[in-house]
Amino acid sequence: MAYEPGTAECRVLIRSKEQIETMLLELSKLDGTDVLLQQLRQVHNQLEALHDLRRAS
């Protein structure tokens, strides 16, 4: 069963993480994007932390 977000905030965070995941996949195909990929992973991790806080509340 797919995860069903409970709040509008959770939906925003989920969509944002999904968009970053798509960017990571696409950019990983290009040379010279290592630093950018690392930054995007950090942003994804920050969004995940925010989402964890929302889920816990």
Side-chain angles (χ1 to χ4, degrees):
M1 181 160 86
Y3 174 73
E4 295 184 22
T7 66
E9 288 179 344
C10 283
R11 286 190 293 275
V12 168
L13 292 166
I14 290 167
R15 281 194 306 270
S16 297
K17 291 187 299 181
E18 288 171 346
Q19 290 172 353
I20 290 176
E21 290 163 7
T22 299
M23 292 167 59
L24 287 166
L25 287 171
E26 293 297 323
L27 289 170
S28 68
K29 299 173 186 174
L30 301 176
D31 291 335
T33 60
D34 293 340
V35 172
L36 185 54
L37 290 169
Q38 181 181 14
Q39 292 169 339
L40 285 170
R41 284 186 197 100
Q42 290 173 344
V43 172
H44 188 278
N45 290 339
Q46 291 170 345
L47 290 169
E48 184 66 29
L50 285 173
H51 192 202
D52 287 343
L53 288 173
R54 297 296 188 276
R55 285 187 286 221
S57 329

